[in-house]
Every structure is written in structure tokens, then in C-alpha cells.
Amino acid sequence: MILNKVNYPNDLKGLSVEELNNLADEMRELIIKKVNTTGGHMAPNLGIIEAVIALHYVFNTPKDKIVFDVSHQCYPHKILTGRKEGFINPDKYLDFTGYTAPEESEYDLFKVGHTSTSVSLALGVAKARDLAGGNENVIALIGDGSLSGGEALEGLDNAACFNSNFIIIVNDNDMSIAENHGGLYDNLKLLRDTKGLAECNFFKSLGFDYLYVDEGNNIQKLIEAFKTVRNVNHPVIVHINTLKGHGLKIAETNKEAFHWILPGTLDEKDTQTVIVNEDYNSITKDFILKKAKEDKTFNVVTAATPGVFGFTKDYREKLGSQYTDVGIAEEHAIAFSAASAKMGAKTVFAVMSSFIQRTYDQMSQDLCLNNSPLTMLVYWGGISNADATHLCVFDIPVISNIPNMVYLAPSCKEEYLAMLEWAVNQNEYPAAIRVPSCELISTGIEDKTDYSILNKFKVEEEGSDVAILGLGSFYPLALDVKNELKKQLNINATLINPKFITGLDTELLENLKQNHKVIITLEDGVLDGGFGEKISRFYSTSDVKVLNYGALKEFTDRIPLDELYKKYHLTKELITEDVSKILCPAEV
Amino acid sequence: MILNKVNYPNDLKGLSVEELNNLADEMRELIIKKVNTTGGHMAPNLGIIEAVIALHYVFNTPKDKIVFDVSHQCYPHKILTGRKEGFINPDKYLDFTGYTAPEESEYDLFKVGHTSTSVSLALGVAKARDLAGGNENVIALIGDGSLSGGEALEGLDNAACFNSNFIIIVNDNDMSIAENHGGLYDNLKLLRDTKGLAECNFFKSLGFDYLYVDEGNNIQKLIEAFKTVRNVNHPVIVHINTLKGHGLKIAETNKEAFHWILPGTLDEKDTQTVIVNEDYNSITKDFILKKAKEDKTFNVVTAATPGVFGFTKDYREKLGSQYTDVGIAEEHAIAFSAASAKMGAKTVFAVMSSFIQRTYDQMSQDLCLNNSPLTMLVYWGGISNADATHLCVFDIPVISNIPNMVYLAPSCKEEYLAMLEWAVNQNEYPAAIRVPSCELISTGIEDKTDYSILNKFKVEEEGSDVAILGLGSFYPLALDVKNELKKQLNINATLINPKFITGLDTELLENLKQNHKVIITLEDGVLDGGFGEKISRFYSTSDVKVLNYGALKEFTDRIPLDELYKKYHLTKELITEDVSKILCPAEV
């Protein structure tokens, strides 16, 4: 194996192109096996192996600096920069993150996981180099899908008039996570079709020098191109035409499905019948499809991650012109959706918790200041064992402190559907719903709540001494705590389902003062700026004690969920212990 | 006067071009007089008068829909849509906002004041039209300066492949607020120089149909162009070459200074000597200039609003290559600055409170997740009588709930300078400083605090019973409250200067429990997600009562400051009354 003698980029320098090709094959095999075992980004990594080898062959890293965009295509880079054990040895499969991570290696400049950042970050690196009088190459690697993000476009505009060495590799595999959308992509196609020769060239229009590499999976050709631009004294685009999923047939033909895969995907037999139980994705899809059929102005918008919501290709086709994927362009998505809703089209924008933070100003100005009746569905909100780049604990502070917004937290299927129904039919508020990130819970009882009466919390069970406010996906925990309090302390606690994140039921909270000493808030998100703090503020001048439970303000990185729950006291036992300390301080 | 018979766009339809020209002159005179009296956006409005007349002449508003970008160029539109009294009658000068406002007129579609939104908003309008089966024209008006914002670029990319009527007017006056920056602007220049004929065309590269109007202040030519694109069945760009400040010589030559002017600017005599006292702007400028001279890697970044910080043209020239204005591109600004700081260049990014919210995800991912030691200077943070589109009360929840960030609130010149010194010299944290929005206060005593000891609040005066935490620009109010408490209730309150917004001095807060019954927090910003709530959370299980003061979660719109202060109980008298109610409930 060639890889036996390759540990760092320097080890590539003496190899022949044939050896480099063999190396690529070996790396491909490792990546396929590893990703199929652990799950992860498959197709993006398979498509970039040759380019990464060529980059490390031509450039002198870590002195020369490479900034990866999203960095879900960094596996080959990790293999070549001291971390191959994480791909060879199954015991070490989880030793390294799926993204660039400076704490792992000096070859990784930034911790990244959200898209469209590499051009701006690399330009900052180049600026610092110039101010310090350095002469190393600075290279930004960016996929075609990421180009449509506002940050990338702002960065390109600025980078084009930078006055020294700056190299942008555009890894064009003609795919975002799903297919691309936007005029830019027609231009990329034109450039591919004309082998980069078309006069009408997006990059050149911005002022970039431009080089096209048709065979973006050909190491020899890539080396030639990279050598041409090495030590260039101005900004240059190297547009390389690669194949997403290269070398794995099923990934080449199913690019979207193989963008990111679950463990064992390759082992599944074709004939296998997958039994899909009802879940929050499926009921959302059914709801939307029904509404779209009933109302031709019903309008559904996503920003490049339809797969997260189960909006498969055939589902999207069913929605036809009532569905728009704007690509990686969350800011545009909010403004576009908000305006559509304002003009009377019932509009739903579906988004992941981690990515809603890419469009704060648009939520504030385009949506909430205009009180546009958009329905936002926020998926995956909650504490998780995710990578630090994809945490979903910040959506409550991000969304709920904006005036006019109504942010709802359903605790079960029936509430969720009732909230959906209300949100899409009303014309008064920007409404967001935090789609529960837990398994579907069904009470079987239709929810007939009138959600136009805002900030009305629901008392599920009346009790005394202690009241538990269990928000959304933490409602089941609240129920557990109630039972534990009964068992351990013989307390009949009041159980409350707040439903509304953005406002307080002051009448109810006021009444609770009469026969409650302790109020517990449980939220599946960060405490700072969240729901519980507002309850603490409400009671801050009363004798009632408040216990706020949720995540601490920190970037956690792949920490097991039970470990986080323990740290945050998010178990019925620990909470009961805390209550006991307050009610019976003498015993402690 | 022609204007006598013009109240609504319909009144334009029968006029000759000569009459329209005369109308433009009359409108120009009104705008100059009004803006010079009230202050406001001068040059942008003077440059667009002819285009707005031509738009309303050709199109059939309000059925046809025009979406203004930023809308600080909407004065001529307001004159022509039922609101001319607000420009003719000095008593009514303040009746209408300086931005489009749907509550004023059905001709205004959205409330806008942040840039780069019109393309996306208008595309949403067009989408809703298509779903409803309508056939009206939808027009987005956008200035060249706004084009560089991520939201606009995302919108353009998406709009280019829209499959029905969509018209974008690019109002190109070759200026942002200050000069433009970016490759896009070289292309706009090329297009102007070639009368739109250059093959290399940014808009065409995205797939737009394209029409160039060289004389963008010529009503006849504009009418011809707009008639050409009226009822077009696809997306088209009409690129009009206008003169910012058109018709007012001093504005034409001083475009940046006349972008927005103070009342009476035109009346000032040239010979007048302006005595500028020391203020937070001037000491910041001095600090930066000194550092830049001492350290060649010192790096200063702004995003299109250098004037807000007093970074005049000659000041920017003094900084030379150590200064970068990225134009309207806040996302890029953060990533670029953060990366530069991470690579060792001491970097300062200056930004207005209202605009920091345009880059939340970049602060979270590019900056804080990477712990890059950038220094952010946040200006104008605080409660104000501003227009709803430019409120500066949200920066504390936006910035301070992101992990790793250190957000500092100085209360005087000496603290500010010490914090600045610490921030730029350290390498551990992303640091933001809330530049006080009040007048400069100087104690005359050098601040020798070591700010690397995080979250250390300063006890300015020790007392008992009540402790007042006066954050940043509200520290003087805290002092007033202390005196009032002494006077009214004979209480010697403890006076605390928290300095740190992002973390609590838990040791101090714990100690306060011993001899304090009430803690008061004062913050010049919104309460929800802010500083005070964290203090409430800290004390939520103790007997200490907490009173949080700050703004309510709402979009206020040009409400006088004293009215807001009264509403929010932000006066020493009202606060003392609240304290009295808690300490002596029987008396109430």
C-alpha cells in the first residue's frame, strides 16, 4: 500500500502520478468503509480525493494555507495530514471529527461546519499574511452548492479586488446537498459545457482571473493547474469539474441520498422493505400536501436541506410550483417567504435549528417588523450529541427575543397539528413551530385549542407546592419529574405545558404564587436568553423560587446525550434532589 | 405649480415630459428644504426623483408593486403617493417616516430600513402573484451599494431563474454610503463606460435579461426603458446610471457627506469653525491610529458605515492598507476580520448595534466557535427615539448569548480605553466592546483593571439593603438611583459597575445575599435575553428580590426618549418607587 509510507503531505512529494492514483484508490476504499460504518458525508469526500492529493502535492502546507468550506469534504485531507489511523483502524474511527478542527492538526485552520464561509475566512488569512509581510499561498476551497450563500457571495465580491495572492478552488460537482437552484448554476453549466471558454463568466464579471479544469478527478491535470496558479500575485479562480461520489457507482447515481449516509447504508439489500412509522416528518409532509391541494396559493420553501424534513424528490415533484428550494440561501429564504406570506400566499418555510441563525436580521426586519404571517417550522431543536458546528440549542434565544414573533412548542402530535393549522390560517403574526425532536407522541385526543389567544399555557394536572413547566420536547421529562416528586417527596406537583415560548401566561403564573413554592422550567435548549430566564424574571420580586433547567452556554462537541443531561441536571432524580434541597434545606 | 394637481400616480398619466421635468424640479426643491430642516437622507433621494416619476408614470401602482431597498430613497415616492403635505407643510414634516411604511400608504409594501432586501422581498411578492394567478408587474428597486449584501446576492441568484415577470431596477450612482468596494463595482463601471454593451456582464452571467439606461436622470429615457420592460414575462435588470445628489451641487460633489445630513447643514457658513469636543468616536480614532503606527499588522475593518465612527476619508487614508471597508457585507466582514485576528493580525471591526444582527451565524461559527481574538466595537447600542428599522436595543441578546464571546460595557473613557487595550492585545477570546452611546464621561483616573480576569464586577460604593448594577451607559442612572434611594428612603445602596455583559461575578453576587434584599439591574437595551434576566436567574432560588430595568421586547417607532424611559420605569423616581413597594409593601 502506498498509504503505508504517506503520513504527511511531504511524503507525497516524491511519488509518481501513478502512485498518486493508486493512493487515491486506497483512500477511496478507506473512506467508503469508514463512512459506511460510522455514517457521515460520503459523496462529497469521494469527489474531492484527487483534488486534495494534488493540492497537498503542489502546495507546501501547513505554511501554505488551505481553508475548507463546510469541511464535510475534509476526510481525504485528514488522511494525508497525520490522521489516517482514524480511517484505517475501526477503533479510531471516532477519534477525529467530520470537519476541520484546529485542535486536531496544524493543517486545519478553522473549525467549520456551516457553509459558504471559506472565501471570507481565507481572505482574512491572506490579509493577515500581507500585513505581516508573508509570502505563502492562501487557498479557499468551496463547493458549487456553497457559492449561493450570502457570505460566500459577499466574500467573492470582496476577494475579486484583493491585490495579492489569493486562490479559490471551486469544486463544481453540479450538486448542492440536493440539486442546485439559481442563475449562477446555469452559468457554471455553461462554463462546463464550453470547457471554461464561454465569454459570459460569472467569476470574470467580478474581475477574477480564471482557470478551468475539465477533468477534476484527474490528478495529473489538477497538478498542472495548481502549479500554474501557485504563487500567483492576484486573486484567481480554479474551476474544477468533479464527480460527486466518484468511484462509488451507487453514490454517483444517487448523489443526494449519498451526500450523507447512515451507518450500514451500503449493506442494505435492495429488496428490503423499510417500515416507516409515523413520525413528525411524515405528519408534516401529509399536512403540507393536503393543504397544497386545497389551496393553490399554499407555498413551501426550503433552503438546500429538503432531505432533513423528508422532502424527497418525488414529494417535491408532487408539490410542483408550490415548492421552492432556494439552495443555500437562508437570508433570501426568509425574505422571500415572508413577502410571499404578506401578499396572501400561505407560506411555510422549513429549516434546521442550527441554520436558522444564518438569517437573524431577516427574521427581525423582513419578517417580524412587517408582521408577515409566515409559518416557520424549526426542526431538530434540542440538546444533542452533535458536532460543535451543528448544535441545535440556540434557536430559542435566536428566535424568541425578536418582537412580534410567536414561537410555539408542541408536546405531541395533536398539538403540533393544531398549531400548524392555526399558523397557516392566521394573518396576524410571524409564527414559528419547534417541531419536536423526540419520537412522535400521540394522545389520540384532538387538540381544539384556539392558538390565536396568545401565551395561554395549559395546566395539564393541578397540584400544589411545585409547578413544572415542561416545554415542547421536554414535556415528557416534566411528567417524569412529577411522578418522581410524588414518589420521593410525596408532592403532588402541578404540571404545565407552556406551548408558547415567546410570551408568558402572566395570569396563570400570578395564580401559581398562591399555593406553589417552587417553579421548575425545563427547556430543550440553552438557558441563556431562553424561556426559563423569563420565568425567573417574572418571579424575581416574589417569594416563589424558580429552578431553570436547560443547556449551559457552551459549544459542546460530540458529547453523549446522557452525559450532557447529567451535567445539566436534566434527569428526574437530579431535579427531585434540587427541589428537595430548596424545600427541606435543613436535611442537606 | 405642477405638484398642485398631482396627489397620486394617476395624476401623472396625462402630463407631458416637460411637465414631468418641471415636477421633478419642484419635488427637488421641496426635498432639499425639508431634509435641510429635519435632517435625513439627502443625496439618495435627489438622485432618484426622475426614476420614481417615470416608474409611477409607466406602471400602474398600487396594482403593480414596487419594493424599495433600504427605502431611504423613498421621499419622491411618498410625494407622489398621497403624502406630499409631509414635504410642503413644515408642520407636517415629521408626519411620515423616512422609510416605506405600509401603515402610511397602500403604495408601500414593506417597512424596510436595512439594506439589500428588495430583490428577495419582491421575488416573494411575484411568487405570491403567480400562485394566485395575477398578472401585475413586480419591481424591485435597489441601489448599487446594496448589491454587495449577501441577502441581495442570494436574491439575485434566485431571481435570475424565476420563470415569469420580474423587474429589477439597479439604481447605480457609483456610491454606497461611502465609496463602493468589490469586484462587482468594477463591472458596473465597465458597463457604464461601455453604455451597457460589455460582454462581461455580472447580471447576464446570472442569466438576466439586461437593459442599460445611460441617462438615469432623464425622465424621457427612463419612460422609454420602463415601457420596454413593462409586462415582460421573465426576469430583467434595468441598469440606470444616476447621479447621487442630482441637482444640488454641494451634494453632487460631496456624496458621502450628503448621504444623510443633520438639520441645517446647508445653512452652515464655510468659514465656521466647528469645535469638536473629545467624544467616544475621537478617542477611538486616536487609539486606533496610534496602534496602527506601532504595529504594522494592526487591522481595521468596517462594513459601509465608516462615517458613523467618524472614520472620514482622510482618516481612512492615514490607515492605508491597515484599513478595509468591505462595503455592505457584514457577514463577510465578521469572517474576514475573525480569520485575520486568528492568524495574528490585531484586528478591530467597528459596527452599529442595529447592523450587528446581520451577521449572527458568522459571530457564532466563524468567530466564537474558533475563539478568534477579534475586537468588535459596537456603536450606538441603547434605547433611542430611532425609527423602528434602526433600533439599537437588540445587540445584547444577539451577541451575549453566544458561547466564548466576551462582551464588555465600559461606563467611562478610562474603562473604555483599558478594555480596548486589553481586547486588542489578548489572544484568547472574541471580545466585543459596547462603545457608550452617551456623552463621554471621564473620571480622570487611569483604569488599571486586568480584564483577562473575566466577569469581575466592580463595587464602586459599598452599602447595604439594595444593590444597583448599572451596566455601561446606564451607570450614571445607577448613580442617580443610589442618590435618590438615600434621599427618599435613607438607604445606602451598593453601587456596582458590572463591566462584563457575558458572564456573572458569582462570588460577588453570592456575597450580596448577606446584607441585600433587593438587586436592581439597569441595562440600556431590551430585557428579553439580556443581562438582567441572567441576574434574575442567579437569584431565582434565593430570598433576594431582583428588579430588572431595560426596554420591553417591541419595535418602537420614533417615540421620544423620555416617553420610553417613563414607560420602562427608567427614571430614578420610578425606580425608587418600585424599590419602596418591595421594601415597605404595607405602605402601598
Side-chain angles (χ1 to χ4, degrees):
Chain A
M1 264 179 63
I2 312 284
L3 195 54
N4 286 341
K5 41 181 188 171
V6 174
N7 290 303
Y8 284 97
N10 255 341
D11 304 326
L12 297 175
K13 308 291 179 183
L15 300 183
S16 68
V17 170
E18 197 191 331
E19 286 172 308
L20 294 175
N21 282 329
N22 290 339
L23 177 66
D25 291 343
E26 292 170 16
M27 289 165 65
R28 177 166 286 106
E29 204 175 311
L30 286 179
I31 289 171
I32 292 172
K33 193 171 161 213
K34 190 259 184 190
V35 175
N36 189 49
T37 307
T38 61
H41 286 97
M42 179 69 97
N45 281 294
L46 296 182
I48 197 85
I49 294 173
E50 292 79 9
V52 169
I53 291 174
L55 277 171
H56 280 299
Y57 180 86
V58 172
F59 292 98
N60 180 26
T61 56
K63 186 186 177 234
D64 289 335
K65 309 264 185 288
I66 305 173
V67 180
F68 287 79
D69 199 90
V70 197
S71 82
H72 58 217
Q73 79 294 60
C74 70
Y75 300 179
H77 165 78
K78 292 205 173 189
I79 294 176
L80 296 179
T81 53
R83 290 166 281 183
K84 68 181 180 189
E85 274 302 301
F87 294 80
I88 292 172
N89 182 347
D91 293 341
K92 305 211 165 183
Y93 273 175
L94 299 178
D95 281 10
F96 305 107
T97 80
Y99 303 88
T100 55
E103 70 273 19
E104 287 179 7
S105 164
E106 61 174 331
Y107 291 86
D108 293 8
L109 271 76
F110 300 101
K111 210 167 175 66
V112 284
H114 284 197
T115 70
S116 313
T117 71
S118 66
V119 175
S120 294
L121 288 173
L123 199 68
V125 173
K127 180 73 190 177
R129 171 202 62 200
D130 290 353
L131 289 173
N135 65 355
E136 63 271 23
N137 287 278
V138 176
I139 302 135
L141 179 68
I142 186 164
D144 55 318
S146 298
L147 285 177
S148 62
E151 186 177 356
L153 292 166
E154 289 181 358
L156 283 172
D157 178 42
N158 265 268
C161 56
F162 194 66
N163 57 8
S164 64
N165 170 281
F166 192 64
I167 300 163
I168 301 174
I169 316 285
V170 174
N171 169 32
D172 181 5
N173 58 27
D174 193 21
M175 279 295 283
S176 183
I177 300 169
E179 65 277 7
N180 283 308
H181 299 276
L184 175 54
Y185 298 100
D186 293 333
N187 191 247
L188 291 185
K189 182 176 187 315
L190 176 70
L191 292 172
R192 291 194 306 271
D193 290 350
T194 60
K195 314 276 188 218
L197 295 174
E199 275 296 323
C200 185
N201 179 317
F202 171 76
F203 303 108
K204 283 189 177 175
S205 82
L206 288 174
F208 281 104
D209 191 3
Y210 174 85
L211 184 67
Y212 179 75
V213 180
D214 189 45
E215 297 178 46
N217 294 97
N218 179 323
I219 293 178
Q220 169 93 52
K221 295 284 169 66
L222 289 165
I223 287 175
E224 284 164 21
F226 295 158
K227 279 187 175 168
T228 310
V229 299
R230 187 174 55 189
N231 301 327
V232 68
N233 68 357
H234 57 270
V236 61
I237 298 275
V238 185
H239 179 185
I240 67 175
N241 176 21
T242 64
L243 181 63
K244 192 166 181 173
H246 182 54
L248 179 64
K249 263 282 159 299
I250 189 169
E252 289 178 9
T253 31
N254 300 283
K255 294 188 177 75
E256 184 180 342
F258 277 80
H259 176 79
W260 188 95
I261 63 162
L262 288 167
T265 300
L266 289 173
D267 315 326
E268 283 171 16
K269 295 195 189 78
D270 285 346
T271 52
Q272 191 180 355
T273 310
V274 181
I275 299 164
V276 179
N277 289 320
E278 190 175 59
D279 60 15
Y280 286 108
N281 274 12
S282 69
I283 64 172
T284 308
K285 284 168 64 180
D286 292 347
F287 176 89
I288 285 175
L289 210 53
K290 182 166 170 286
K291 289 288 168 190
K293 274 184 191 157
E294 290 167 5
D295 180 351
K296 65 176 182 171
T297 76
F298 199 88
N299 192 20
V300 184
V301 180
T302 61
T305 61
V308 168
F309 326 119
F311 294 179
T312 51
K313 197 150 191 274
D314 64 316
Y315 180 78
R316 304 191 301 252
E317 278 163 7
K318 273 185 204 156
L319 290 169
S321 68
Q322 291 175 272
Y323 172 76
T324 306
D325 184 286
V326 299
I328 292 170
E330 291 85 357
E331 300 174 74
H332 168 66
I334 283 284
F336 172 73
S337 308
S340 161
K342 187 78 179 178
M343 292 297 121
K346 295 187 190 316
T347 306
V348 171
F349 171 53
V351 62
M352 259 175 72
S353 162
S354 190
F355 299 149
I356 191 64
Q357 64 193 44
R358 292 169 64 85
T359 174
Y360 180 94
D361 195 47
Q362 290 68 35
M363 279 196 287
S364 174
Q365 298 275 317
D366 300 329
L367 177 60
C368 291
L369 181 59
N370 284 284
N371 242 326
S372 302
L374 172 66
T375 302
M376 277 181 18
L377 301 182
V378 182
Y379 285 72
W380 292 11
I383 301 164
S384 72
N385 65 351
D387 186 274
T389 59
H390 283 71
L391 299 176
C392 289
V393 291
F394 300 108
D395 59 278
I396 293 182
V398 167
I399 295 172
S400 72
N401 294 316
I402 303 175
N404 297 354
M405 179 74 86
V406 176
Y407 196 13
L408 294 157
S411 69
C412 65
K413 169 186 170 182
E414 289 75 13
E415 275 172 24
Y416 176 52
L417 289 175
M419 288 171 180
L420 262 174
E421 190 71 41
W422 170 76
V424 301
N425 285 317
Q426 55 86 35
N427 280 302
E428 293 179 85
Y429 313 102
I433 305 177
R434 203 171 198 236
V435 184
S437 51
C438 53
E439 278 189 23
L440 185 134
I441 294 169
S442 172
T443 59
I445 305 160
E446 193 188 348
D447 178 12
K448 292 181 177 169
T449 310
D450 176 1
Y451 287 100
S452 67
I453 303 167
L454 298 187
N455 307 326
K456 187 97 188 126
F457 296 0
K458 188 178 175 201
V459 178
E460 301 277 0
E461 295 184 46
E462 275 201 57
S464 62
D465 294 316
V466 175
I468 313 163
L469 280 71
L471 193 68
S473 49
F474 269 6
Y475 180 75
L477 175 61
L479 195 59
D480 285 351
V481 171
K482 180 183 161 60
N483 293 333
E484 189 73 9
L485 285 172
K486 178 70 191 166
K487 196 172 117 190
Q488 300 285 342
L489 306 174
N490 198 28
I491 290 172
N492 285 312
T494 297
L495 184 62
I496 296 169
N497 176 3
K499 296 183 175 186
F500 290 87
I501 308 177
T502 29
L504 301 185
D505 187 340
T506 52
E507 194 186 333
L508 171 66
L509 294 180
E510 196 58 46
N511 286 338
L512 289 180
K513 286 180 184 173
Q514 290 168 16
N515 57 344
H516 293 80
K517 294 179 196 130
V518 176
I519 310 289
I520 295 170
T521 69
L522 303 174
E523 66 194 297
D524 199 2
V526 68
L527 285 169
D528 295 70
F531 173 76
E533 285 189 345
K534 285 160 189 63
I535 304 290
S536 281
R537 167 150 71 101
F538 179 86
Y539 286 114
S540 66
T541 57
S542 82
D543 292 328
V544 171
K545 306 284 185 273
V546 181
L547 284 165
N548 296 137
Y549 293 93
L552 294 180
K553 182 174 74 170
E554 59 181 351
F555 291 115
T556 57
D557 197 12
R558 295 161 299 143
I559 312 286
L561 199 52
D562 56 352
E563 199 176 307
L564 288 176
Y565 280 176
K566 208 174 217 174
K567 178 176 181 186
Y568 302 151
H569 275 216
L570 284 165
T571 72
K572 59 181 181 182
E573 295 83 5
L574 290 168
I575 292 170
T576 302
E577 214 176 296
D578 293 339
V579 172
S580 159
K581 281 182 198 164
I582 290 180
L583 291 178
C584 334
E587 294 174 19
V588 186
Chain B
M1 262 178 69
I2 312 284
L3 194 55
N4 285 340
K5 44 182 187 172
V6 175
N7 290 302
Y8 285 96
N10 254 341
D11 304 326
L12 297 176
K13 309 288 178 183
L15 300 183
S16 68
V17 169
E18 197 192 330
E19 287 173 308
L20 294 175
N21 282 328
N22 291 337
L23 177 65
D25 291 340
E26 293 170 15
M27 289 166 65
R28 176 165 288 108
E29 205 175 310
L30 287 179
I31 289 172
I32 292 171
K33 193 172 159 212
K34 191 260 185 190
V35 175
N36 188 49
T37 306
T38 61
H41 286 98
M42 178 69 95
N45 281 294
L46 296 181
I48 196 85
I49 294 173
E50 293 78 11
V52 169
I53 291 174
L55 278 170
H56 279 300
Y57 180 85
V58 172
F59 292 98
N60 180 26
T61 56
K63 189 189 176 232
D64 287 335
K65 309 264 187 286
I66 305 174
V67 180
F68 287 79
D69 198 273
V70 197
S71 82
H72 58 216
Q73 79 295 58
C74 69
Y75 300 0
H77 165 78
K78 292 205 173 189
I79 293 176
L80 297 178
T81 53
R83 289 166 282 183
K84 68 181 180 190
E85 275 302 301
F87 293 81
I88 292 172
N89 183 347
D91 292 342
K92 304 209 165 183
Y93 273 174
L94 299 176
D95 280 12
F96 305 107
T97 80
Y99 303 88
T100 55
E103 68 273 19
E104 287 178 8
S105 164
E106 61 174 331
Y107 291 85
D108 293 7
L109 272 75
F110 300 101
K111 211 169 175 66
V112 284
H114 283 197
T115 71
S116 313
T117 70
S118 66
V119 175
S120 294
L121 288 172
L123 199 69
V125 173
K127 180 74 190 177
R129 171 201 63 199
D130 290 354
L131 290 172
N135 64 356
E136 64 271 21
N137 288 278
V138 176
I139 302 134
L141 179 67
I142 186 163
D144 54 318
S146 298
L147 286 177
S148 61
E151 185 177 358
L153 292 167
E154 288 181 358
L156 282 172
D157 177 43
N158 265 267
C161 56
F162 194 65
N163 57 8
S164 64
N165 171 278
F166 193 64
I167 300 163
I168 300 174
I169 317 283
V170 174
N171 170 33
D172 180 4
N173 59 27
D174 192 21
M175 281 294 284
S176 184
I177 300 169
E179 65 277 6
N180 283 308
H181 299 275
L184 176 53
Y185 298 101
D186 294 333
N187 191 246
L188 291 185
K189 181 176 187 315
L190 176 71
L191 292 172
R192 290 195 305 271
D193 289 350
T194 59
K195 313 278 187 217
L197 296 174
E199 275 297 321
C200 184
N201 179 317
F202 172 76
F203 304 107
K204 283 188 178 176
S205 82
L206 289 173
F208 281 105
D209 192 2
Y210 174 85
L211 185 65
Y212 179 75
V213 181
D214 189 44
E215 298 178 45
N217 294 96
N218 180 323
I219 294 179
Q220 170 93 51
K221 296 282 168 65
L222 290 164
I223 288 175
E224 284 164 21
F226 296 157
K227 279 186 173 168
T228 310
V229 299
R230 186 174 56 190
N231 301 326
V232 69
N233 68 355
H234 57 271
V236 60
I237 298 273
V238 185
H239 178 185
I240 67 175
N241 176 21
T242 64
L243 181 64
K244 191 165 182 174
H246 182 53
L248 179 64
K249 265 281 158 304
I250 190 169
E252 289 179 10
T253 30
N254 300 283
K255 295 187 177 76
E256 183 179 345
F258 277 79
H259 176 79
W260 189 94
I261 62 163
L262 287 167
T265 301
L266 289 172
D267 315 327
E268 282 171 17
K269 296 195 190 77
D270 285 347
T271 52
Q272 193 182 352
T273 311
V274 181
I275 298 162
V276 179
N277 290 319
E278 190 175 59
D279 62 14
Y280 286 107
N281 275 12
S282 69
I283 63 172
T284 308
K285 283 168 64 180
D286 292 347
F287 175 89
I288 286 174
L289 210 54
K290 182 167 170 285
K291 288 289 168 190
K293 275 185 190 157
E294 289 168 6
D295 180 351
K296 66 177 182 169
T297 76
F298 200 88
N299 191 20
V300 183
V301 180
T302 62
T305 61
V308 168
F309 326 119
F311 295 179
T312 51
K313 199 151 190 274
D314 63 315
Y315 180 77
R316 304 193 298 255
E317 278 163 8
K318 274 185 204 156
L319 290 169
S321 68
Q322 290 175 275
Y323 173 75
T324 306
D325 184 285
V326 299
I328 293 170
E330 292 84 358
E331 301 174 74
H332 168 67
I334 284 284
F336 172 72
S337 309
S340 160
K342 188 80 178 174
M343 291 298 119
K346 296 189 188 316
T347 306
V348 170
F349 172 54
V351 62
M352 259 176 71
S353 162
S354 190
F355 299 149
I356 192 64
Q357 63 194 46
R358 293 169 65 84
T359 173
Y360 180 93
D361 195 46
Q362 291 69 35
M363 279 197 287
S364 174
Q365 299 276 316
D366 299 329
L367 177 60
C368 290
L369 180 59
N370 284 285
N371 242 327
S372 302
L374 173 65
T375 302
M376 276 182 16
L377 301 182
V378 182
Y379 285 73
W380 293 11
I383 301 165
S384 71
N385 65 350
D387 186 274
T389 60
H390 282 72
L391 299 176
C392 290
V393 292
F394 300 107
D395 58 279
I396 292 181
V398 167
I399 295 173
S400 72
N401 294 317
I402 303 175
N404 297 354
M405 178 74 86
V406 176
Y407 196 14
L408 294 159
S411 70
C412 64
K413 170 186 168 180
E414 288 75 13
E415 275 171 26
Y416 176 52
L417 289 175
M419 288 171 179
L420 262 174
E421 191 72 40
W422 170 76
V424 301
N425 286 317
Q426 54 86 36
N427 279 304
E428 292 179 87
Y429 312 102
I433 305 178
R434 203 173 198 233
V435 184
S437 51
C438 53
E439 278 189 22
L440 184 134
I441 294 169
S442 171
T443 59
I445 304 159
E446 193 189 349
D447 178 12
K448 294 182 175 167
T449 310
D450 176 2
Y451 287 99
S452 67
I453 302 166
L454 297 187
N455 307 328
K456 186 96 187 126
F457 295 1
K458 186 178 176 201
V459 178
E460 301 278 0
E461 295 183 46
E462 275 201 57
S464 63
D465 294 315
V466 175
I468 313 163
L469 280 71
L471 193 67
S473 50
F474 269 6
Y475 179 75
L477 175 61
L479 194 58
D480 285 350
V481 171
K482 178 181 161 63
N483 293 334
E484 189 74 8
L485 285 171
K486 178 69 189 168
K487 195 173 119 190
Q488 300 284 342
L489 306 175
N490 198 28
I491 290 172
N492 285 312
T494 296
L495 184 62
I496 294 168
N497 177 2
K499 297 184 177 186
F500 290 87
I501 309 177
T502 29
L504 301 185
D505 186 340
T506 51
E507 193 186 336
L508 171 66
L509 295 180
E510 196 59 46
N511 287 339
L512 289 180
K513 287 180 183 172
Q514 291 169 15
N515 56 346
H516 292 80
K517 295 178 195 130
V518 176
I519 310 289
I520 296 170
T521 68
L522 303 173
E523 66 194 297
D524 199 3
V526 70
L527 285 169
D528 295 71
F531 173 75
E533 284 188 347
K534 285 161 189 61
I535 304 290
S536 282
R537 167 152 69 100
F538 178 85
Y539 286 114
S540 67
T541 57
S542 82
D543 292 328
V544 172
K545 307 284 184 272
V546 181
L547 283 164
N548 296 138
Y549 293 94
L552 295 180
K553 182 175 73 170
E554 59 181 351
F555 291 115
T556 57
D557 197 11
R558 294 161 298 142
I559 311 286
L561 199 52
D562 55 352
E563 201 176 306
L564 287 176
Y565 280 177
K566 209 173 215 173
K567 179 177 180 186
Y568 302 151
H569 275 215
L570 284 165
T571 72
K572 59 181 182 182
E573 294 84 5
L574 290 168
I575 292 170
T576 301
E577 215 177 295
D578 293 340
V579 172
S580 160
K581 280 181 199 163
I582 290 181
L583 290 179
C584 334
E587 294 173 19
V588 187

